[in-house]
Amino acid sequence: MDLSGDVWAQVALEASTVYLVDGVMRSPFANTTIEKLPDKVLMHIFSYLTHREICRMARVCRKWRLIAYDTRLWKSVSLRPEISGLHVGSLEALLALISIRFGPSLRYIELPIELITHTVLHELSNKCPNLTHMLLDFSTAMQLHDFSEMQAFPTKLKYMVICLSEVIFMEGFMRKIYNFINGLEILHLIGTYEKVEEEEEEIYEVINVHKLKSATPNLRVINLYGINFIDDSHIDAFSSNCIQLECLAVNFCNKVTGSTLKTLFQRSRRLKCLLMHQTSLISEHVMAVEWEKVSLQELDISATDLSTECLVDLLTRIPNLRFLSAGQLNGFNDTVLKAWMEGGNPRNLIALDLDSSDNLTDDALYKFLSRHGQQLSGLVLSGMPHITDQLWMSVMPILNNAKILVMGTPERLGVNIHVDQLMDGIANNIPRLERLELRWDPQNLRFSDKSQKAIDILRVKCLKLRCLVLNDGRYYEIVKANFERADRNTVVRTSTSSRVSNYYLLGNYKDLVFN
């Protein structure tokens, strides 16, 4: 029903009405302060704060202290200072927190090495019966606590992360928890790949994977990240007992060659996701797999050394690939792309990462994207100096369903990138875009005084855009200021602190995230 101008005037008048109280003109909301808000509203406001901020709010007044210590605000807790800023000074303080503040509401907890004791684990088991997610960080350990007296451990865990020490053998601790973790569905074992020095050192098998697999028969997701002792025998061990396995990630496990892949797929019929970034895959082992019979949908073979022959064999035999990350592969060339189009099945592909694939030409990529670009939700064509804004502008109308785009190379180019035109093309063709990264060197970006207009169009038309990554420079400052003026402060980020990846599109992405 349409309202007349007089009615609208009356509504506006009532909304702005002030009242005469004791001779003073007052708004009906004059005495409304945050103190007047109901506790449940304050609780909802507090739920958006970090635990460190909540602890500060507890000092304001007695009411805020009661709300800040409500167990419902402490369902997910990290006690690692470098992650959360929260530091518990003593075991006694932590035991008090478990009893008073965490209790039955606690679902997720992260513990640093100094707080992992049998007493703490006993208390978590007794006082936090709904604890389902746990992270134990042993990565900096030079010595473990004594667990010989440990008789209890949380029994409802579905998700567990163990950050391994580089030198401490953990089998004494693991033997104590084997009987309590048979309900685990998601297991992360995180190694020390990023800390390893180039010098060849003696490698210790600090955890017994062959015993661990017997205690965890219900695993759906296994992530073995950057562990220097993991090899094909460990993959074989898990596959022999975990028949429900859906996702296996062994990224940065350099000893994995693929020799047990054939057996893995024969046993794990449900395996849909296999991530093997920067492993030592051998082409012969990969080609021995019966790819025609697998249920695999998501594959990462980036930064391996697979041959062109192997890549052609692989991509023409996998029946239903939806996600492919195959960057940094010298063997991935025009022949592979052509064979995949003609003899394979890329019709279900939604995510493609070909980062730093220098042996692919513009023409081959254009032909592939012309045929399959419309179905893609994620596309990464970064790290290739010969792929400039010209190719991107030509395929932009085809990529109208994209959610993730990564383009550009940090290498200094002999040509300029006309970024205003690029932003305008993205805005007018890809309205569903959520994440965008431009990796070009700032010195190669050319923009004009009218850049603000192109940025405005991008901001207004790509309303789902939550992450825009640029290299530090003048253009980054212009884009950042534009989005901040529109109160979208967290969108624009620098490449020194953020990177965009197709991994967001993985079916098990949330299960694979670890801190």
Side-chain angles (χ1 to χ4, degrees), residues 433-436 462-468 488 490-493:
L433 193 64
E434 297 177 8
R435 301 176 187 273
L436 172 64
C462 296
L463 294 175
K464 294 184 178 181
L465 189 64
R466 65 181 70 176
C467 179
L468 171 52
R488 295 177 67 182
T490 62
V491 173
V492 183
R493 310 171 192 181

Side-chain angles (χ1 to χ4, degrees), residues 178-196:
Y178 284 148
N179 292 332
F180 302 98
I181 60 174
N182 58 9
L184 276 185
E185 297 180 5
I186 301 163
L187 174 65
H188 296 257
L189 297 180
I190 309 304
T192 53
Y193 166 78
E194 296 172 357
K195 300 178 184 178
V196 173

